[in-house]
Amino acid sequence: MLAKDLSYAQSSFSFMGSGQHRIIQDEETFETKYDPYKAVRDYIQNESKKAIGHMKSGATSRSVGCLNVYHSTEFNHFISKQDSYIYN
């Protein structure tokens, strides 16, 4: 399932520091203030609930809904806002 894969990717990138995006933490408590990987995962999961995909057979599919979200203009706009968290 796409949501599970996204969760694994989010966890591995943020934990290992392999991603390009900064995770914002409170300097004293180390509480996560903003995690762009989690934000993307949450965005796709929340929006896919609204965008259930319909297959040719007439059945519904959450995976197709996730793909519909992934290919949407709104998702591209959301992703572009994450660029401010990229570090070099």
Side-chain angles (χ1 to χ4, degrees), residues 9-23:
Q10 180 265 330
S11 296
S12 66
F13 284 134
S14 64
F15 178 75
M16 296 176 2
S18 296
Q20 293 182 345
H21 293 76
R22 283 180 282 125
I23 296 171

Side-chain angles (χ1 to χ4, degrees), residues 31-73:
E31 177 185 347
T32 299
K33 290 183 175 183
Y34 188 77
D35 181 344
Y37 299 103
K38 182 179 180 317
V40 170
R41 184 190 71 210
D42 291 348
Y43 180 89
I44 289 177
Q45 287 178 339
N46 291 334
E47 291 300 311
S48 69
K49 290 175 186 173
K50 302 175 200 171
I52 298 297
H54 297 281
M55 298 171 28
K56 286 183 181 180
S57 67
T60 59
S61 169
R62 284 192 66 187
S63 296
V64 173
C66 286
L67 292 173
N68 288 340
V69 171
Y70 178 77
H71 290 290
S72 70
T73 304

